């Protein structure tokens, strides 16, 4: 088994949390995963795993090694797509990531427009919370990300911006006597950028209001419409509900908040990624402006 295959087995185990899960993800046998990880540990010279009950977990050394392994594999995949795309950008591949709200409300139009103009460019899409997509860009597992402002520890190049406004919404009945300090606040999943912004907003209130954590953008909006509480959202993401009146905007100090969307690539973006960036800037209907 090659070193690359061993690294993929180890990263899959780290991601899935078990040999069985890694084997299922890679479509190989459990013994293949176990043998690969044992061989990798022998090669590194330190224990990468330790027993935990009936399963295993990463040691501190294993967790550190997994971070490097993701970057190695990401760079290897990036090198392959970069070489192929350099030879023929119109038949290359782009690994595109987006945070959940952008994935639901911006990517469909962007992808449809791009595919119509560049039908032979393959596009792989990953829609995940903010923390996850930035980690994937950091590890070179993505070529381009559509999200909020990139964190400072990501070596990235902001290529385009699009206006985005965050506002507080709730069911129409929530507006009657609305008090931010006593309302139930609906929070997004861990790792969400909007959740982090909302948490900071709530910290400025004089009292600690009730909170309810929902598992996704869609669940949070549905809960707000059902009258379970109020939440902070991208206005564009609830435009239809605001127009039809199933949600209303609520007054909260410091809101609305401007949080522009960003298109971010590596400084040395692949040729096919450059095609995507040039396209979204050229299509005025998509609403992107050069950064």
């Amino acid at each position: 088994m090659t070193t690359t295959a061993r690294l993929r087995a180890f990263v899959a185990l780290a991601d899935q949390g078990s040999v069985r899960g890694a084997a299922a993800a890679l479509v190989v046998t459990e013994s293949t995963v176990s043998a690969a990880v044992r061989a990798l540990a022998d090669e590194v010279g330190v224990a990468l795993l330790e027993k935990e009950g009936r399963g295993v977990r990463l040691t501190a050394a294993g967790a550190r090694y997994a971070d490097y392994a993701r970057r190695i594999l990401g760079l290897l995949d990036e090198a392959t797509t970069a070489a192929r795309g350099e030879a023929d950008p119109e038949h290359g591949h782009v690994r595109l990531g987006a945070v959940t709200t952008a994935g639901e409300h911006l990517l469909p139009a962007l992808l449809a427009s791009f595919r119509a103009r560049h039908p032979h460019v393959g596009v792989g899409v990953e829609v995940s919370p903010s923390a996850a997509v930035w980690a994937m860009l950091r590890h070179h597992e993505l070529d381009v990300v559509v999200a909020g402002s990139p964190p400072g520890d990501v070596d990235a190049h902001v290529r385009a911006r699009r206006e985005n406004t965050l506002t507080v919404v709730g069911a129409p009945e929530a507006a009657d006597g609305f008090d931010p300090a006593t309302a139930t606040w609906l929070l997004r999943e861990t790792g969400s950028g909007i959740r982090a912004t909302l948490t900071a907003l709530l910290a400025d209130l004089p009292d600690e209001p009730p909170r309810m954590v929902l598992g996704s953008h869609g669940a949070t909006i549905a809960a707000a419409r059902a009258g379970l509480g109020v939440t902070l959202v991208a206005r564009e993401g609830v435009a239809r509900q605001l127009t039809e009146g199933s949600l209303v905007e609520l007054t909260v100090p410091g809101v609305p908040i401007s949080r522009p969307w960003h298109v971010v690539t590596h400084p040395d973006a692949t040729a096919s990624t450059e095609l995507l960036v040039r396209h979204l800037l050229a299509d005025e209907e998509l609403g992107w402006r050069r950064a």
Side-chain angles (χ1 to χ4, degrees):
M1 181 177 288
T2 65
T3 298
T4 300
R6 293 172 182 172
L7 289 173
R8 293 194 189 282
F10 179 64
V11 168
L13 191 154
D15 290 341
Q16 300 298 323
S18 69
V19 172
R20 176 176 295 181
L26 296 174
V27 195
V28 298
T29 64
E30 293 180 34
S31 61
T32 298
V33 172
S34 296
V37 174
R38 280 197 303 270
L40 191 62
D42 289 342
E43 183 179 314
V44 175
V46 297
L48 302 177
L49 301 173
E50 60 188 5
K51 290 186 177 181
E52 183 179 46
R54 295 185 177 180
V56 294
R57 66 178 179 183
L58 298 182
T59 62
R64 176 60 66 90
Y65 193 80
D67 189 61
Y68 279 96
R70 289 188 179 93
R71 276 183 272 175
I72 291 167
L73 293 172
L75 280 167
L76 181 61
D77 291 340
E78 184 180 310
T80 300
T81 57
R84 292 173 178 171
E86 196 69 28
D88 185 1
E90 290 287 357
H91 288 79
H93 185 81
V94 178
R95 301 169 299 170
L96 172 63
V99 295
T100 307
T101 305
E104 293 179 4
H105 298 285
L106 300 182
L107 283 199
L110 189 160
L111 290 173
S113 174
F114 181 67
R115 292 297 297 275
R117 179 66 180 82
H118 304 279
H120 301 297
V121 177
V123 181
V125 178
E126 174 72 30
V127 178
S128 294
S130 178
V133 295
W134 291 126
M136 293 182 73
L137 187 70
R138 187 183 299 111
H139 293 140
H140 292 265
E141 295 170 313
L142 294 173
D143 301 307
V144 57
V145 163
V146 182
S149 180
D153 63 344
V154 175
D155 183 19
H157 185 190
V158 177
R159 309 297 301 279
R161 288 187 176 88
R162 190 178 190 276
E163 288 305 312
N164 178 47
T165 300
L166 303 184
T167 187
V168 173
V169 300
E173 55 269 25
D176 186 20
F178 173 68
D179 182 355
T182 59
T184 297
W185 287 88
L186 308 172
L187 274 64
R188 290 274 299 275
E189 69 279 6
T190 300
S192 161
I194 288 182
R195 172 171 173 160
T197 301
L198 176 53
T199 299
L201 187 68
L202 296 181
D204 292 333
L205 295 178
D207 298 308
E208 181 72 20
R211 304 182 185 193
M212 181 184 297
V213 178
L214 280 299
S216 68
H217 167 74
T220 304
I221 301 306
R225 292 181 65 186
L228 291 176
V230 302
T231 192
L232 183 71
V233 296
R235 183 182 283 154
E236 187 173 30
V238 292
R240 178 177 59 82
Q241 292 90 335
L242 291 173
T243 299
E244 69 186 17
S246 59
L247 288 174
V248 297
E249 293 192 57
L250 301 167
T251 301
V252 176
V255 179
I257 302 170
S258 176
R259 286 290 187 272
W261 293 118
H262 296 76
V263 169
V264 181
T265 70
H266 297 289
D268 53 347
T270 67
S272 297
T273 300
E274 291 292 350
L275 278 182
L276 175 63
V277 172
R278 288 198 297 270
H279 176 81
L280 66 87
L281 287 171
D283 189 337
E284 294 184 358
E285 292 186 5
L286 295 177
W288 292 95
R289 298 292 180 266
R290 190 177 303 278

